[in-house]
Structures are given as C-alpha cells and as structure tokens.
Amino acid sequence: MSMVSNIKLIDENGLRIDGRKFNELRPIKIEVGVLNRADGSAYIEWGGNKIIVAVYGPREAFPKHTQNPSRAIVNARYNMAAFSVDERKRPGPDRRAIEISKIIGEALESAIFVEQYPRTSIDVYIEVLQADAGTRIAGLTAASVALADAGIPMKDMIVGCASGKVDGKIVLDLNKEEDNYGQADVPLAIIPRTQEVVLLQMDGNLTREEFEQAIEMSKKAALFISNLQKEALLAKYSRPEEKEEVKEEAEQENHGDDDHE
Ligand code: CDP
C-alpha cells in the first residue's frame, strides 16, 4: 500500500481502471496436468498473473531428521521469476517470498490428511512467471488443484480471493495499480467444504464494517473460483490424449502380467 492517493482508481461511473465493477473478478483460467515430471501440476492465469505449480509426493522425507513419525510435512516454495515483475526481481528467496511460502504451506497442511503419510514430505513448487497482484492467493488456489491432480487426499481444494479498499470503496480482487495505490488489501483463503479460513492477512487499514464487507465479497468469489478448480480437474480427465495415455498404460500393464505368466 502506498500513501500516494492522487491517482484516480475509480471513475465517475463507478468503474475501475481496468473497466471492472467493484465486485467483479479478473478473468481466471486453470489448467491441470501441465508438467510430465511432477506427480501433480497446474497452471493458472488470473488477470495478469501467470503461475505454474508442481507437486511431488508424498515421498520419503529427506534429510531423514526432518521426518515426522506421525504425519507428512508440507514444504511449499513460492518463487518469483526474475522477469515476473517490472523491475528485475533478484533471484532467490527474499523476506516476502519466505513469508508467502510459509503461509501457503500452513494453509495447505490444514487441508491435507497429513496423518495418512508419516515420515514423508509433500513438496509444492509455486513459480510465478508473471505477477500482477494477488499472486499468493492465485498460487495457493493453483497449488490445491495440483495436489488434487497428484491424488493427495484433502478435506477439499483450498480456494481464495483478495478484496481491498480503493478510492474509499471496497472492491474485489485488486490488480497491480489498485494494490500499489489503494488503501487496503485483504487476501483470504478458505476450505469450502468446512468453511474454515486458512489464510487471512491485511495490508493497510479498514473499519470493522469495511473488513466484514471485504470478507463477504471474497468468500462469495471464492465459491465461484472453487467451481473453476473442479472444472479444470474434470477437463484433464476428459481430454482425448489423456484417455489415450490411460489406455496405453493399461495395455502396458497387461503385457507386463503376460511376461510373468
Ligand atoms: O502478489 P500478492 O498480492 O499476493 O503480494 P504483494 O506482496 O501484495 O505484492 C503485490 C504485487 O506487487 C505482486 O503481485 C507483484 O505484481 C508486485 N511486486 C513487484 O512488482 N516486485 C516485487 N519484488 C514484489 C511484488
């Protein structure tokens, strides 16, 4: 949030600089199974954000001393590509990336049935290729889909959205300019099935009423995005080339059985 407020972010018709209404989301597109080497993967475009997620595991945790005998550990790594932002991002984790990795990891851990996989790790790599505000929520939303693609049992796919305050108005899903020059940004993520809030932060200031209005708007949007996640998963398993692959795998397995006989 910046203190500079002489930039007009909402026009006389109540429209935002990208033409959206106050409660309108940016366009969202999710694709599942985009990487062959990962156990699960997803790609999300959310407004100007482009993020790819790879999931590995559950696999034996290494080094061994990190193993927890009663549950899986969840390692999330949020990383911004050097070319993802206007000014070249210095490679490697900074304070912000470490914070985002931590909160995303904790959120995912609260949805995954970690006690089913003792001594293992579940590794989640979130690579931001292009950033335009809201990357932590877009990354977490895509990570949940990648975990589902990896077949990891969860209470539900986590989903979220941010809302904030721009030119004195509460608006949904801030873009880069609104994030930079607005007055507040509140990212929220939930587990739809249980209604648990698994990520909630606030940058800037809101009154109690404004805060409640922002949360209400984000929750409603999250349920809409939850459907996009499910549709993306379904789409993978109805793609013709995936069906072919499944058929080939089945045939190979059958041949394998023949060899043993
Ligand atoms: O991305 P998110 O809103 O979750 O996190 P943020 O810390 O509020 O960052 C907002 C936006 O600032 C990012 O999405 C990027 O577009 C931009 N940013 C940047 O330009 N350079 C950085 N080193 C970090 C963030």
Side-chain angles (χ1 to χ4, degrees):
M1 293 305 117
S2 156
M3 292 297 115
V4 186
S5 54
N6 53 349
I7 293 172
K8 210 163 152 40
L9 293 166
I10 298 182
D11 72 12
E12 52 288 348
N13 301 316
L15 295 179
R16 297 152 69 178
I17 44 172
D18 54 12
R20 279 185 293 155
K21 297 199 260 310
F22 75 96
N23 62 348
E24 197 176 333
L25 274 172
R26 293 175 285 178
I28 299 176
K29 210 176 77 186
I30 306 173
E31 208 180 315
V32 179
V34 292
L35 299 170
N36 289 341
R37 311 266 181 276
D39 295 324
S41 59
Y43 172 67
I44 190 165
E45 285 184 7
W46 181 325
N49 296 309
K50 295 182 178 179
I51 303 171
I52 199 158
V53 182
V55 166
Y56 291 86
R59 57 186 178 185
E60 189 181 1
F62 193 82
K64 274 206 153 137
H65 70 82
T66 63
Q67 293 182 358
N68 185 320
S70 55
R71 57 180 192 81
I73 51 172
V74 179
N75 299 317
R77 195 194 68 175
Y78 168 101
N79 182 54
M80 268 185 154
F83 51 80
S84 65
V85 287
D86 284 337
E87 229 171 282
R88 178 179 179 276
K89 157 79 178 63
R90 190 163 171 261
D94 52 13
R95 216 178 67 115
R96 175 177 171 278
I98 292 166
E99 172 208 318
I100 296 178
S101 299
K102 180 174 189 286
I103 55 166
I104 288 180
E106 286 172 359
L108 293 173
E109 209 171 304
S110 64
I112 298 170
F113 292 122
V114 285
E115 60 289 347
Q116 292 185 13
Y117 301 98
R119 300 188 187 282
T120 67
S121 74
I122 295 167
D123 304 308
V124 183
Y125 299 93
I126 299 162
E127 298 290 332
V128 179
L129 308 177
Q130 188 172 290
D132 194 54
T135 59
R136 72 194 62 205
I137 294 296
L140 177 56
T141 296
S144 287
V145 179
L147 285 166
D149 183 39
I152 293 172
M154 297 181 281
K155 294 180 192 169
D156 200 350
M157 286 188 280
I158 291 175
V159 64
C161 192
S163 290
K165 189 176 174 183
V166 163
D167 280 2
K169 289 218 166 58
I170 300 302
V171 300
L172 182 72
D173 188 23
L174 277 62
N175 66 26
K176 181 79 174 15
E177 289 73 22
E178 292 173 329
D179 183 293
N180 281 170
Y181 304 112
Q183 293 116 40
D185 183 27
V186 183
L188 168 86
I190 58 168
I191 299 177
R193 192 183 298 275
T194 62
Q195 293 287 309
E196 283 166 85
V197 171
V198 291
L199 187 156
L200 178 60
Q201 297 185 292
M202 181 153 91
D203 186 11
N205 288 307
L206 294 175
T207 66
R208 196 194 173 104
E209 287 71 32
E210 289 171 334
F211 178 77
E212 278 164 12
Q213 203 186 330
I215 296 300
E216 184 67 27
M217 212 150 68
S218 291
K219 277 191 174 166
K220 217 171 137 187
L223 296 180
F224 172 79
I225 302 161
S226 169
N227 280 324
L228 299 182
Q229 290 177 308
K230 289 174 198 158
E231 283 167 16
L233 266 179
L234 281 172
K236 169 178 173 179
Y237 293 99
S238 52
R239 278 206 297 264
E241 67 269 28
E242 298 291 343
K243 279 187 187 156
E244 270 320 300
E245 267 175 38
V246 171
K247 223 169 76 186
E248 276 168 26
E249 273 169 28
E251 276 167 11
Q252 273 166 14
E253 271 167 31
N254 284 341
H255 287 306
D257 287 348
D258 289 344
D259 290 345
H260 288 293
E261 276 167 12

